[in-house]
Amino acid sequence: MEAFDFTWIFALGIVSSICDAYGIGANDVANSFASSVSSGSLTMIQACIIASFTEFLGAFLLGSSTAETIKGGILSVERFSDQPELLMLGMLCALVGSATWVILASRYGVPVSTTHSIVGAIIGVGISAFGGGAIQWGYSGVAKIITSWFVSPVVAGIVTAIIYLPTRYFVLESPNSLNRGIRAIPIYFFCTSLIGAFYIIYKGVPETDSDKLPVGAIVGISFGVAAGVTAFSWFFFVPWLKRRVVGKENLRWYHLLIIHFVKHRPMPPPEEPSALPEGTREMESGCRPELEEKSDTQVQKCEDWDPSAEDSQNDNSVNKEPWYTKLLKLLKRYALHGVTKDVRNLNNDKMTAIHNAAKKFDDDTEYLFSFLQVITACLASFAHGSNDVANAAGPIASIYDVWKTGVVDVTGKSPVPSWVLAMSGGAIVLGLLTLGYCVMRRLGNGVTYLSPSRGFSAELGTSLTVLTASQIGLPVSTTHCIVGAVAAIGLCNGNIRAVNWKTLGWCFLSWMITLPVVGLIAGLLFAFGSNAPNKLI
């Protein structure tokens, strides 16, 4: 193969990579923010705005400078050395198979592991190209993935319960829960920032060798960062909370840094409803009030008003709008389609019994945890963008490298250009904005009732599980961890009816069929493409 041959594979690879990153945003990012939106800590629009920055910056700034072409040692790229173009075709088929499954699962609100999707696709390509003997079926390969189906949710659930239960018994159920919660807030800030700082430093900060530092040094730096954040929360955030939540003052978020210099700001009195003008008739009568005048000679009776005539006039006025105005309105409606959906499921009749089985706590105390939950969601999203972007960027980087050089990099790693990271980061954000609501609706309150304290515990438990498992080598998936954490929150109510077991069953089934379904799609595509005739006679 010569350099710059098979440009059509490279072009289709770009499109497929964008689609795969789109599916990552619609599924992985959505389940990262599902608990924050479901608990009410963030609105759907706020979550999308935050994720747009954290996911893109995480992918672009902290995206790995190299991405493994063949994930987890499942298949060696040395097998493609004699025919580099087959590696290009294989990565293309893997991207198509992964994108197809992840987008389809996202459309029906099923959280799946995007990492396992791309691995399953590569397994399918490997079997199609070299047979089953080319795949690592042992614990170093496929067996580790199967183990993660059980290890991830169980471990995350246990860690989440360890975080939530002390919070429930010592803070939420306390007779003076609000004051106790305010005193405990700095402790929670310390734990959250410690875990977040350790996670980011351990994974590697750009342009540094932080990931090569001794664990002791990383722990020391993390404790220093956590101490600074705790001091900030004690001197600024706690006084702000006392005045806003306890004192019921009209404070805004930007008063946080200058809270010691802000004078007392009482809440404005509630506005009284304005009375109807004299001489008008109630709307319930069926007559438009503005059609009635005070003067007897100018009175227009209800029977003289023809609503259909006015509707016709309104339709005519709409039809007279310029075409570009109609186009802008149409584009706006479709652009905001994904962020205007109700994903909290609070008024869902099917979920009423499940939500009622969960114990409710003081709203003001729960409000304290909403800020912590936003922080944990941002950290999880930033880390997700930096790590899982490789699921879409890695294969296209491999295609690009072979297309540019004409040879296979036998190390199994290919440099990821900045434009690939930027492209993938943008597609991830687009997937969340347009299709992420499906997974959020199913995973958040669709599994159990979530409040800010419950959502915070689930997110922190997930982050801690992933961090610890990465350190000791346990196979875990972020998607599986958040599902297990949310289920554990439901069980902490002491009532198995507080959990939607049907939804959990569908989630587990989707994890089991991810590898065979994606592998079958990618394998069949590769078999078709690699055995196609070169010329048509």
Side-chain angles (χ1 to χ4, degrees), residues 356-418:
N356 289 339
K359 186 174 181 179
K360 312 301 189 297
F361 303 105
D362 180 66
D363 290 339
D364 287 337
T365 307
E366 289 282 6
Y367 177 77
L368 303 178
F369 291 90
S370 60
F371 298 93
L372 290 166
Q373 191 178 10
V374 172
I375 294 175
T376 54
C378 290
L379 288 174
S381 176
F382 191 78
H384 173 268
S386 65
N387 291 302
D388 283 10
V389 68
N391 294 333
I396 186 58
S398 176
I399 294 175
Y400 174 70
D401 185 65
V402 174
W403 176 75
K404 184 176 65 173
T405 62
V407 297
V408 174
D409 182 4
V410 295
T411 64
K413 296 183 178 182
S414 302
V416 181
S418 298

Side-chain angles (χ1 to χ4, degrees), residues 285-535:
S285 64
C287 178
R288 291 185 57 191
E290 62 267 24
L291 294 180
E292 193 139 1
E293 305 290 342
K294 292 183 180 180
S295 175
D296 294 337
T297 59
Q298 296 177 349
V299 171
Q300 182 177 358
K301 301 297 183 181
C302 286
E303 55 268 19
D304 297 332
W305 171 48
D306 184 5
S308 61
E310 182 179 350
D311 291 339
S312 177
Q313 293 177 0
N314 291 335
D315 292 339
N316 292 334
S317 63
V318 171
N319 292 331
K320 292 180 181 179
E321 289 183 348
W323 64 271
Y324 55 83
T325 303
K326 295 181 181 179
L327 179 61
L328 289 176
K329 289 183 177 181
L330 184 64
L331 292 175
K332 180 181 179 181
R333 186 178 69 180
Y334 280 102
L336 298 177
H337 172 75
V339 299
T340 56
K341 296 289 186 178
D342 177 25
V343 300
R344 299 192 64 188
N345 285 328
L346 296 180
N347 298 320
N348 189 333
D349 294 337
K350 296 180 180 179
M351 296 299 302
T352 300
I354 295 176
H355 291 174
N356 289 339
K359 186 174 181 179
K360 312 301 189 297
F361 303 105
D362 180 66
D363 290 339
D364 287 337
T365 307
E366 289 282 6
Y367 177 77
L368 303 178
F369 291 90
S370 60
F371 298 93
L372 290 166
Q373 191 178 10
V374 172
I375 294 175
T376 54
C378 290
L379 288 174
S381 176
F382 191 78
H384 173 268
S386 65
N387 291 302
D388 283 10
V389 68
N391 294 333
I396 186 58
S398 176
I399 294 175
Y400 174 70
D401 185 65
V402 174
W403 176 75
K404 184 176 65 173
T405 62
V407 297
V408 174
D409 182 4
V410 295
T411 64
K413 296 183 178 182
S414 302
V416 181
S418 298
W419 65 268
V420 172
L421 293 175
M423 177 185 70
S424 301
I428 286 175
V429 173
L430 184 62
L432 174 66
L433 292 174
T434 56
L435 199 60
Y437 69 91
C438 297
V439 173
M440 285 191 184
R441 180 181 293 165
R442 177 68 63 88
L443 184 58
N445 286 324
V447 174
T448 188
Y449 173 77
L450 289 178
S451 60
S453 62
R454 292 176 168 95
F456 160 73
S457 301
E459 290 177 356
L460 187 60
T462 298
S463 300
L464 186 58
T465 301
V466 173
L467 172 63
T468 306
S470 300
Q471 175 67 22
I472 64 179
L474 286 178
V476 297
S477 165
T478 304
T479 300
H480 301 170
C481 285
I482 191 65
V483 172
V486 172
I489 287 295
L491 291 176
C492 285
N493 291 293
N495 188 344
I496 62 173
R497 295 183 179 180
V499 179
N500 188 345
W501 296 104
K502 181 179 179 181
T503 295
L504 291 180
W506 279 110
C507 290
F508 189 80
L509 177 63
S510 70
W511 301 344
M512 295 179 61
I513 66 176
T514 291
L515 288 182
V517 169
V518 179
L520 184 63
I521 296 174
L524 290 177
L525 287 175
F526 183 83
F528 176 79
S530 60
N531 294 291
N534 294 328
K535 295 182 181 179

